[in-house]
Amino acid sequence: MKTKNYNVVIIGSGPAGLFAAIWLEKLGLDKIAVMDRSPYPAGGLLNDGKLNFDYRVGLDIEELQIDRAAAEGMMQEIKQIFTGFPRCRQVTFIENNKKLLALSAMASEHGAQFIAPEQWHWGTDNGKDLVDYLRGYLKKTDFLLNTEVIAIEKRSDNNFRLDCSAGEKRINCNARVILAAPGRSGAYWFRDLARKLNIRNNFGPIDVGIRLELNRKSYDFITDIVYDPKFIFKTGRHGDKVRTFCTNPGGRVRVENYGTFKLVNGDALSGKKTKNTNFALINTVALTKPFSDTTEFGQSIAKQCFLLGGGRPIIQRIGDFREGRRSSLAAFNSKTNHFEVCKATCSATPGDITLAMPARIIDNLWESLKALDKIIPGILHPSTLLYAPEIKFFDTHFPTDRYLETNVQGVFVAGDGTGKSRGIVGAAISGIIAAQGIMRRCGGVNDR
Ligand SMILES: Cc1cc2nc3c(=O)[nH]c(=O)nc-3n(C[C@H](O)[C@H](O)[C@H](O)COP(=O)(O)OP(=O)(O)OC[C@H]3O[C@@H](n4cnc5c(N)ncnc54)[C@H](O)[C@@H]3O)c2cc1C
C-alpha cells in the first residue's frame, strides 16, 4: 500500500483530537488524519458527558498560558458546538441564581471553596449519537480507526513517520506535524515514546481518593441547584487540597479495568435513573525528590486495593471507615442502621479502605467528609457507601510553548494524557490551542 502523506496526524479521537481537527478544518488546513486504536472515534466522549463551563474547572489556564478571557471565549465556541446536539441539555443555571450565593456562603463558613459552573449533560446513553453529530463537522479529515500508533520516527527532512498496526496489518504514513492527544489510556505509551524522541516531560500530580454513593434524596437538595457541585477543601492538619468531583445524580458507580488493578468512577444515563447519587472525593498528591514518580505511587495504592479486594474495588460503610474496621457482607444486606436506604449500584468487595491508603490521605478524606456533612447534612448517614480506589492519573506532564508545541519542533500535545486538561471542555480547549499552533507551523493562517 502507498504511504500516505499528511500535514498533520492527530493521535486520539477524544475531545482534544476531535476539536483540534474541527479547528484545523475551520482554519483551512487540508491533509488531516485522526488515528485511533478504537473502532469508533470518541475517546471519553462516550462517558456520561457532563460539560463544565468555568475557567477554573477541568483546565489550568496557567498551564495553557491563556488568560481567563481567552478561556471563556473558547468555551463559548465549544458550547455552541456541543449544545447544537439536541439531547445535550442544560442542568445548572448560574445567572441570577440566589441559591448559589447562599450555598457559597455556607461553604465558606465551613472553610470550603464552592464553585458552581454552568453545566450541560447528555448522558452515557446518548454518547454515540453525540459523537456522530460532532463527526458531522469534519468534512475533509481522514479517520484511520482500529489503528494503533506503535512508533514515531523523526526523519532527516524534519517530517515524521508513523508506524501503526491496523488489525493484522502494519501500515505507515508521514506527517509534517504530529498532535498527540492519547488521553489517559495512552499516556504511558506516549511518555515512553516521547523519551525516545527526546521530548521533555515530567511527573504531574495525581488525585487519590474514594467515591461516595448515597441515597439521592440526601443530595437532591444541592444537585437540584448545581448538577455537579465543586467543593474544595484545604485540610487543617496537613494543608492538602481535597475536592468533590464528577457528581452523578441518579447515577451508577462504575469500574475501570487496568489489568493489574481496577479503579472506580461514575456516570449517569439520561433516560434511566437510579435511586442513588455518587461523586468522587479526591486528594491531590504531588511528590518531589527523592521520589517524584506519581505514577508508581498511585499504582501502588491501586494495587494494594486490588490485592485486599481480591481483584475488585473495595466497598465500605461510612461508619466502618470512621472506625477503621472492615465492612462485612452482612452490613450490606441488613436493615439495621437503615442500611437499606442506599443499595450499592456496583459490585465490589466489602473491606477496609483505611488499610489500603496512606494515613495522610485517609485523614484528609475524613476531615473533608465531616466538613461536607456540615454543609450538606446527611452525608455521614450510616447507609452512605464508600468505594476505593478512585484515582485520577494526570501524572504525565509535558512542558510546552503557548501553542502546546513541545521542545521537539512539530510535536504538539493536548488533552488529559499530556497534562493539559482534566475533562471534556478542557481537552477541547487544548485541542483548539494546538490547532492554532499547527496552523502556524504548517505556514497557514495564524490564530484568529
Ligand atoms: C467513567 C468516566 C466518566 C467521565 N465523565 C466525564 C464527564 O462527565 N465530564 C467530563 O468533562 N469528563 C468526564 N470524564 C473524563 C473525560 O472522558 C476525559 O477528560 C476526556 O475524554 C479527555 O479527552 P482526551 O481527548 O484528552 O482523551 P480521550 O478522550 O481519552 O481520547 C484519547 C483517545 O486516544 C486513543 N489512543 C491512545 N493511544 C493511542 C495510540 N497509541 N494509537 C491510537 N490511538 C490511541 C484512545 O483510544 C482514545 O480514544 C469521564 C471519564 C470516565 C472514565
Side-chain angles (χ1 to χ4, degrees):
M1 202 170 89
K2 199 167 161 270
T3 302
K4 269 199 137 185
N5 296 310
Y6 290 102
N7 276 320
V8 55
V9 170
I10 299 171
I11 305 167
S13 65
L18 282 185
F19 271 81
I22 292 172
W23 246 251
L24 286 167
E25 280 202 12
K26 220 165 149 172
L27 294 171
L29 194 73
D30 59 1
K31 296 190 193 159
I32 306 164
V34 173
M35 277 192 190
D36 205 298
R37 59 186 173 201
S38 307
Y40 191 67
L45 288 167
L46 293 177
N47 290 320
D48 193 56
K50 275 184 295 300
L51 300 177
N52 288 292
F53 292 105
D54 186 299
Y55 74 99
R56 295 163 295 181
V57 176
L59 67 154
D60 176 349
I61 57 174
E62 277 177 35
E63 175 62 36
L64 295 177
Q65 302 172 53
I66 52 174
D67 59 17
R68 176 179 171 173
E72 288 178 341
M74 282 185 263
M75 277 181 188
Q76 279 307 325
E77 300 195 62
I78 291 165
K79 189 163 86 183
Q80 225 171 25
I81 292 181
F82 275 121
T83 58
F85 175 62
R87 272 163 281 156
C88 184
R89 49 183 199 96
Q90 188 165 1
V91 287
T92 302
F93 297 82
I94 54 171
E95 299 296 329
N96 303 319
N97 193 337
K98 291 202 179 108
K99 289 179 181 164
L100 292 181
L101 294 176
L103 265 172
S104 183
M106 209 159 28
S108 85
E109 221 171 273
H110 296 289
Q113 187 193 355
F114 172 67
I115 300 177
E118 178 182 324
Q119 289 164 333
W120 293 68
H121 181 240
W122 61 75
T124 302
D125 41 348
N126 288 316
K128 211 159 176 286
D129 290 346
L130 175 278
V131 174
D132 288 343
Y133 156 81
L134 276 187
R135 208 175 156 177
Y137 274 84
L138 292 165
K139 308 289 179 214
K140 299 186 294 190
T141 299
D142 276 1
F143 277 93
L144 305 174
L145 303 173
N146 264 328
T147 304
E148 179 162 20
V149 183
I150 307 289
I152 301 175
E153 179 199 343
K154 186 159 189 172
R155 300 180 348 169
S156 53
D157 61 0
N158 278 335
N159 286 345
F160 297 89
R161 180 195 153 96
L162 289 90
D163 285 319
C164 313
S165 84
E168 304 283 283
K169 284 189 293 189
R170 282 302 268 254
I171 60 165
N172 48 59
C173 63
N174 298 323
R176 288 170 71 190
V177 167
I178 303 280
L179 170 59
R184 277 183 272 148
S185 68
Y188 302 141
W189 160 76
F190 185 66
R191 185 164 76 188
D192 289 346
L193 186 113
R195 287 176 182 155
K196 289 183 195 141
L197 290 169
N198 295 320
I199 302 171
R200 274 200 294 273
N201 59 84
N202 48 41
F203 292 105
I206 53 170
D207 289 317
V208 183
I210 50 178
R211 186 162 283 264
L212 269 82
E213 183 166 51
L214 64 169
N215 186 299
R216 65 174 297 176
K217 286 186 189 147
S218 318
Y219 218 60
D220 276 354
F221 138 75
I222 179 149
T223 52
D224 285 349
I225 308 170
V226 194
Y227 186 86
D228 178 16
K230 316 282 183 190
F231 292 99
I232 304 166
F233 305 92
K234 188 166 182 214
T235 62
R237 178 145 181 232
H238 303 292
D240 291 337
K241 180 176 158 190
V242 176
R243 63 193 173 101
T244 63
F245 177 82
C246 188
T247 310
N248 298 295
R252 336 168 271 190
V253 175
R254 286 180 53 184
V255 178
E256 293 174 46
N257 192 345
Y258 290 86
T260 52
F261 59 87
K262 287 181 178 158
L263 302 177
V264 287
N265 210 317
D267 75 346
L269 301 176
S270 174
K272 193 172 172 208
K273 299 291 178 192
T274 68
K275 290 184 176 159
N276 294 350
T277 288
N278 66 72
F279 63 91
L281 186 71
I282 43 184
N283 182 152
T284 303
V285 180
L287 301 174
T288 54
K289 274 183 186 172
F291 186 73
S292 59
D293 187 340
T294 35
T295 310
E296 188 71 38
F297 181 73
Q299 287 191 359
S300 71
I301 294 174
K303 284 176 188 163
Q304 185 91 323
C305 292
F306 190 73
L307 198 72
L308 292 172
R312 297 194 304 166
I314 299 175
I315 186 170
Q316 191 171 24
R317 289 281 177 198
I318 200 157
D320 293 331
F321 178 82
R322 176 165 47 187
E323 303 293 330
R325 186 175 61 207
R326 181 175 182 185
S327 283
S328 67
L329 189 59
F332 292 87
N333 299 324
S334 110
K335 288 195 172 171
T336 50
N337 295 328
H338 306 288
F339 284 162
E340 78 284 4
V341 170
C342 177
K343 294 227 165 73
T345 59
C346 177
S347 169
T349 303
D352 184 5
I353 295 167
T354 67
L355 199 59
M357 286 193 190
R360 177 165 172 166
I361 292 175
I362 297 293
D363 277 357
N364 286 335
L365 294 175
W366 181 238
E367 186 182 323
S368 307
L369 278 171
K370 283 191 293 183
L372 193 59
D373 188 63
K374 289 191 183 125
I375 305 166
I376 309 157
I379 298 289
L380 298 185
H381 187 274
S383 63
T384 296
L385 300 169
L386 308 180
Y387 296 83
E390 169 103 25
I391 304 182
K392 298 292 178 224
F393 284 99
F394 299 106
D395 45 349
T396 308
H397 171 252
F398 288 83
T400 52
D401 72 3
R402 60 181 284 245
Y403 290 105
L404 306 187
E405 188 170 24
T406 63
N407 61 303
V408 171
Q409 191 176 312
V411 179
F412 291 75
V413 292
D416 288 16
T418 59
K420 302 300 172 193
S421 62
R422 290 171 177 236
I424 294 168
V425 175
I429 288 184
S430 68
I432 293 173
I433 297 172
Q436 291 166 345
I438 291 166
M439 280 312 285
R440 296 170 77 240
R441 203 36 87 214
C442 289
V445 278
N446 206 330
D447 20 335
R448 293 159 306 148

